[in-house]
Amino acid sequence: MTVEQQRLLRTAIPGPASLALHERKQKAVSAGVSTGLPVYIERAAGGILVDVDGNQLIDFGAGIAVTSVGNSATRVVEAVQRQVADFTHTCFMVTPYAEYVEVCEQLAELTPGEHEKRSALFNSGAEAVENAIKVARHATGRDAVVAFDHAYHGRTNLTMALTAKSMPYKAGFGPFAGEVYRVPMAYPYRWPTGPESCADEAFATFTTQVHTQVGEENTAAVILEPIQGEGGFIVPAPGFVKRVADWCHEHGILFIADEIQTGFCRTGDWFASEHEGVVPDLITTAKGIAGGLPLAGLTGRAELMDAVHAGGLGGTYGGNPVACAAGLAAIETMKELDLAGRAREIEAIFRPRLEALAAKYDQVGDIRGRGAMLAIELVAGADDTTPNAALTAAVNRACHQEGLVTLTCGTFGNVIRFLPPLVAGDGLLSEGLDILDEAFGTATA
Ligand SMILES: *Cc1c(COP(=O)(O)O)cnc(C)c1O
């Protein structure tokens, strides 16, 4: 790798060069675009980010589950360089190219289900979700879409409507797209009657609400993240996802899995739907698909995707050849290095350490996730599950100061999530977990 896989602190975090850039940022970049940790990155590889002060930080965020194959992954770099030299853009809707077709072939092969599939490519996750709704409405002739509490599906107008959390994603940005309905998520840790009754009760509420408030015959689709991302790494109660998908099928409602964060090996399989034993009608992908280049996909049953009239889907840049070349290289890397298997190894490294942390600190209320998509939910104490956003922020800050890039999430801002690049070595992961442990000591002192 081009960057030594080692943490190294030369200055305080952030250092002087980062602080100077940050001052320029405040004068040039909209305040609406905020940064979690204002260290400015100059180079990165594997599990290390190098900032402009020469500090080397351990990366437990992967740019929000994007650089699963690592930053500047060799195959991705070579493929991008080749493609940039060959040609950068024609617009697939004007004069097409093989790379787009090859990415769609890979999506057909790798996504759940053996049925005939078609895909379309876009620039961002939100755009893929928007297009999933377009296809679902067109194919069913129905308007309504059902989304869940704690859901995150993006920041465009329609995807803001699907997203649950107001601050910061929606506040002041309405009115939102219509015909979007929200139902409870089977969130075991916070289910009022306890985790055992969670799946049954959440499913009953879901079916009742869709029946009485929307009408099955009006519902085009139900969209669900098989593990909720921004909402707090909520793993739905066992069996819930399957029951929802089966029920949708019975009523001619399309089941859309938003696998933008969970997809491409992150949860220990190619897609998280596989753990739930469901085959989505439509599946959205982005983030981990292309080693950091902007690429997103919508893949679905051929008869749904082909129901749309010619010219109904697309976009100037969607499936850009450079992004597609990166996607193909990233997929090849995932196969060659068995990164799904590596995600399971990462879980085996993290789980016992997070359990030890929970044994030591009553404020660790829940440990959850799958593969290399893991999180801890912080609460007031052993018998008080009041969300503890203050401690979450303090631990996060203490990690940052020691050169560990961590991310928070959750409807209540009280979840620390771990999304390391899948190629990060055991030594770095273990050192990062040591820093997390020390950060708890600092934050609770
Ligand atoms: C990040 C994310 C999106 C939005 O993707 P963008 O590329 O940021 O538009 C949608 N759904 C889920 C589950 C995500 O994690």
Side-chain angles (χ1 to χ4, degrees):
M1 285 184 194
T2 51
V3 172
E4 205 185 340
Q5 294 297 294
Q6 192 183 328
R7 182 178 68 118
L8 185 63
L9 296 188
R10 294 181 193 275
T11 68
I13 301 290
S18 277
L19 288 173
L21 272 166
H22 206 56
E23 229 177 274
R24 284 167 56 193
K25 184 256 180 195
Q26 317 284 35
K27 294 200 180 82
V29 180
S30 162
V33 184
S34 66
T35 54
L37 168 58
V39 296
Y40 285 70
I41 301 305
E42 202 168 68
R43 269 176 321 129
I48 291 285
L49 306 173
V50 185
D51 75 9
V52 288
D53 291 287
N55 297 301
Q56 303 201 166
L57 296 91
I58 298 176
D59 185 7
F60 272 10
I64 319 187
V66 169
T67 53
S68 296
V69 296
N71 247 302
S72 58
T74 312
R75 268 197 202 77
V76 173
V77 171
E78 286 170 5
V80 165
Q81 285 173 340
R82 250 193 331 267
Q83 186 58 47
V84 163
D86 284 350
F87 68 96
T88 48
H89 173 85
T90 61
C91 185
F92 190 78
M93 303 182 305
V94 179
T95 49
Y97 37 87
E99 291 79 3
Y100 189 116
V101 178
E102 287 165 16
V103 169
C104 295
E105 286 169 351
Q106 288 295 317
L107 284 166
E109 182 191 312
L110 297 171
T111 55
E114 300 303 315
H115 52 283
E116 188 75 12
K117 295 171 197 162
R118 305 281 185 270
S119 293
L121 303 180
F122 305 98
N123 305 297
S124 69
E127 218 187 331
V129 172
E130 289 248 355
N131 280 278
I133 306 303
K134 281 170 66 172
V135 169
R137 286 177 169 160
H138 198 294
T140 60
R142 302 173 181 182
D143 292 336
V145 179
V146 175
F148 288 83
D149 282 342
H150 311 290
Y152 182 86
H153 298 292
R155 294 174 180 271
T156 58
N157 188 267
L158 174 56
T159 58
M160 274 193 293
L162 296 168
T163 290
K165 191 177 177 178
S166 174
M167 198 59 170
Y169 307 124
K170 303 169 75 167
F173 299 138
F176 304 110
E179 286 307 303
V180 171
Y181 299 87
R182 194 165 310 285
V183 291
M185 166 50 69
Y187 180 177
Y189 182 65
R190 293 197 177 275
W191 196 255
T193 55
E196 280 71 35
S197 44
C198 178
D200 285 348
E201 291 181 11
F203 180 69
T205 309
F206 162 75
T207 55
T208 305
Q209 286 191 4
V210 177
H211 179 71
T212 59
Q213 298 179 21
V214 192
E216 293 87 341
E217 69 286 5
N218 303 315
T219 306
V222 170
I223 182 164
L224 176 148
E225 300 155 84
I227 296 178
Q228 291 186 310
E230 306 305 300
F233 280 30
I234 298 163
V235 182
F240 178 72
V241 174
K242 174 97 170 89
R243 288 166 77 178
V244 167
D246 289 348
W247 186 85
C248 285
H249 192 70
E250 281 165 35
H251 294 278
I253 298 168
L254 301 182
F255 178 76
I256 306 173
D258 181 348
E259 293 240 24
I260 288 168
Q261 194 157 158
T262 49
F264 285 99
C265 300
R266 179 52 57 185
T267 66
D269 237 314
W270 280 96
F271 294 95
S273 293
E274 296 167 57
H275 303 289
E276 303 290 347
V278 300
V279 175
D281 296 301
L282 296 165
I283 178 165
T284 55
T285 52
K287 294 200 165 93
I289 190 176
L293 275 285
L295 182 66
L298 168 64
T299 303
R301 289 188 359 233
E303 65 274 22
L304 304 174
M305 296 293 289
D306 284 344
V308 179
H309 48 272
L313 304 177
T316 305
Y317 291 117
N320 167 275
V322 181
C324 285
L328 293 169
I331 290 168
E332 202 181 302
T333 305
M334 290 178 225
K335 287 181 180 171
E336 185 129 326
L337 302 181
D338 181 23
L339 291 186
R342 178 60 186 159
R344 294 192 295 269
E345 281 173 21
I346 290 174
E347 177 168 8
I349 293 168
F350 269 70
R351 281 249 174 220
R353 297 293 303 272
L354 298 178
E355 276 155 18
L357 206 61
K360 204 155 129 191
Y361 296 100
D362 287 340
Q363 295 99 328
V364 179
D366 194 24
I367 302 166
R368 57 179 179 249
R370 206 171 263 141
M373 182 172 182
L374 298 168
I376 47 178
E377 173 159 359
L378 304 191
V379 296
D383 304 311
D384 183 352
T385 60
T386 307
N388 197 338
L391 179 62
T392 305
V395 171
N396 199 43
R397 204 175 321 113
C399 288
H400 291 175
Q401 277 159 4
E402 288 304 315
L404 174 67
V405 179
T406 44
L407 305 172
T408 60
C409 64
T411 298
F412 313 109
N414 66 326
V415 177
I416 303 177
R417 56 173 153 173
F418 309 106
L419 291 163
L422 303 178
V423 295
D426 291 3
L428 279 188
L429 298 178
S430 163
E431 188 179 351
L433 287 161
D434 292 341
I435 294 170
L436 177 71
D437 189 22
E438 287 158 26
F440 263 89
T442 309
T444 54

